[in-house]
Amino acid sequence: MAKIIYEVKENKNTKSAAYGKHFAKVKNLETLNTRRLAQHISEHGSIYTPDVVYGVLERFRACLVEMLLESKKVKIDGLGTFYCTLENQPGGAQKKEDFNVGKHLKALHIRFLPEQATELNISSREFLKKAEFINIDSLLKGTEDANGSSTSGGSTSGGSASGGGLEG
C-alpha cells in the first residue's frame, strides 16, 4: 500500500479561528523530475527505454500546454482532466465594454480535476482510502506514534520505519 508521510503542525495564524490547533501536512520526500519519472516508468516492466518514455512525457507536456492555451480541456482517462481558469483583479470592470484583459485579469491558472468514474476514482475522498499514513515523528524516532498503531485506510497512524521502502 502507498505510504503518505505527514507531520503535525500548529496553526500559528493569529487571525484564524483555528489558531493554536494542530493539523496534518504532507511531508514530501522528494520531487521527481521528468527524467526520474521516465526512469521509474521504464522500470515497471516497460519495453521502452527511459529515453523513449522521457520523449513521450516531454511531448505530452508540450501538447498539454498547447491544448490548454487553445481553450481546450484535456482528459487523461484514469487520471483526470486538466483545464484553465481565470483569476480577475478585485473590483472588476464597471461595464462589460470597459473590461480590459491587461487591466482586469490577474492570472491564468492550470487546474486539475481527478478522475471520478467509479472504477478509476482518484478523487480526494477515494484517494484518502487508498493510502497508509505515517507520522514523520515516528520515523525519526523509530517508534510508533502515541496511538501505538499502524492503521491504514484514511486514519492517521504512526507506522514504523521498518518493513520495506517508503516509495511505492
Side-chain angles (χ1 to χ4, degrees), residues 9-157:
K9 302 286 261 178
E10 181 180 359
N11 178 342
K12 296 187 179 194
N13 180 353
T14 57
K15 296 178 182 179
S16 171
Y19 173 73
K21 303 275 197 239
H22 292 78
F23 298 91
K25 182 178 179 189
V26 170
K27 186 73 175 169
N28 292 299
L29 301 177
E30 66 179 304
T31 300
L32 294 180
N33 64 19
T34 309
R35 285 247 180 244
R36 296 269 317 272
L37 180 59
Q39 178 69 40
H40 181 82
I41 290 170
S42 73
E43 291 170 355
H44 278 269
S46 174
I47 61 170
Y48 302 105
T49 65
D51 287 340
V52 171
V53 176
Y54 177 79
V56 171
L57 290 172
E58 277 299 302
R59 181 61 52 197
F60 168 76
R61 182 201 52 78
C63 290
L64 173 66
V65 170
E66 178 186 358
M67 293 296 99
L68 292 173
L69 289 172
E70 290 183 9
S71 291
K72 296 178 181 176
K73 290 182 177 182
V74 178
K75 181 178 182 195
I76 308 301
D77 295 333
L79 185 62
T81 304
F82 294 89
Y83 61 99
C84 288
T85 61
L86 296 172
E87 181 179 354
N88 292 273
Q89 294 287 359
Q94 291 296 326
K95 296 185 272 182
K96 185 176 184 176
E97 48 277 349
D98 292 340
F99 186 86
N100 177 289
V101 169
K103 179 179 176 184
H104 294 102
L105 283 186
K106 186 175 182 178
L108 174 62
H109 299 286
I110 297 175
R111 303 290 188 205
F112 175 74
L113 179 65
E115 179 72 58
Q116 295 185 26
T118 307
E119 68 279 0
L120 304 171
N121 193 336
I122 60 168
S123 65
S124 299
R125 288 192 175 114
E126 289 300 315
F127 207 46
L128 180 68
K129 294 176 187 175
K130 296 176 181 177
E132 177 182 347
F133 294 88
I134 301 171
N135 189 315
I136 188 78
D137 292 337
S138 69
L139 290 176
L140 295 174
K141 294 176 191 171
T143 61
E144 294 182 350
D145 71 352
N147 296 331
S149 64
S150 179
T151 309
S152 63
S155 65
T156 56
S157 73

